[in-house]
Amino acid sequence: MALHGKVALLTGASMGIGEAIASSLVQAGANVILFSRSEDKLRQLKDKLAVNGDTKVTYRAVDVGNYEEVDAAVKSSIQEVGHIDILINNAGLAIGAPKIFSDLNPSDIMTMNNTNINGYMFMTHSVLNHSMMNRKAGTILNITSITGLEVPPFPGEAVYHANKACQEAFTNALRNELSGTDIRVLVLRPGVVATNFHSLRVGHDKKMYDEFIEGYEPLIADDIAQGAIYMLQQPLNISVKALDIVPSAQRSINVFDRTWNERRE
């Protein structure tokens, strides 16, 4: 599917993987709607991306865990830019590690559940009802994680792991429910990516972060963005239903080849 002229709505757009995907979408000629909590970062990103006069870039400061905010922002975005052809559910966070589940603050549990589960469902519900279902066309790309399929590599991941497993189940069930339409539902699962996300998930503990990526080269946000664009550019009759993108040294979620860098010296 050629992306030129298509309208893509992207959540978690202000930094990391979201920012990289937004940039790649604009380079491909798509019109982009950016959702994130930080209006300042969104404004800066819009200014950075809007150098291409052939595309439209707009944004809304939105808490994806608040349905009223989401629905209002989706409706106003459609009025401004037009029907949404692509929804990329990318917003997400992991907090609290290395605390085990019983030691987590309930507020952290609710924050993760609200963003990682409600956020995906609220965004999808609103975009389907205001844009995709009446045309029976579109693509929904959920950015999940290999964490949803395997046991996480360190303590403190119980909630995030459960969130990602829920996203996988939601994606698969939604795909079946949308049979009889031309709406594709896809999932992209990153492995270890060197972004603020991975620093946040370990409470910005530099020692823990450095130990996690010791001996190998993690992915960067652009690697995931390239994968997303590849999935979205496939013709309508092809669905890359699920794509795992991991560092080659990450043999599974728990097994890392920590001699990877050594062999390249």
Side-chain angles (χ1 to χ4, degrees), residues 8-11 21 25 86-91 139 141 143 232:
L9 195 165
L10 169 67
T11 69
I21 293 175
L25 285 167
I86 299 164
L87 168 63
I88 304 174
N89 281 313
N90 170 68
T139 300
L141 173 58
I143 310 297
L232 295 171

Side-chain angles (χ1 to χ4, degrees), residues 1-9 20-32 52 54-56 81 83-88 138-141 184 186 225-236:
M1 179 178 73
L3 299 182
H4 191 274
K6 300 294 184 180
V7 175
L9 195 165
I21 293 175
S23 178
S24 295
L25 285 167
V26 170
Q27 290 174 19
N31 301 309
V32 182
N52 185 344
D54 293 334
T55 61
K56 297 177 183 177
V81 183
H83 282 294
I84 296 165
D85 301 296
I86 299 164
L87 168 63
I88 304 174
T139 300
I140 298 168
L141 173 58
R184 299 183 296 183
L186 318 175
Q226 289 176 27
I229 295 300
Y230 168 77
M231 297 173 80
L232 295 171
Q233 285 182 328
Q234 297 307 304
L236 182 61

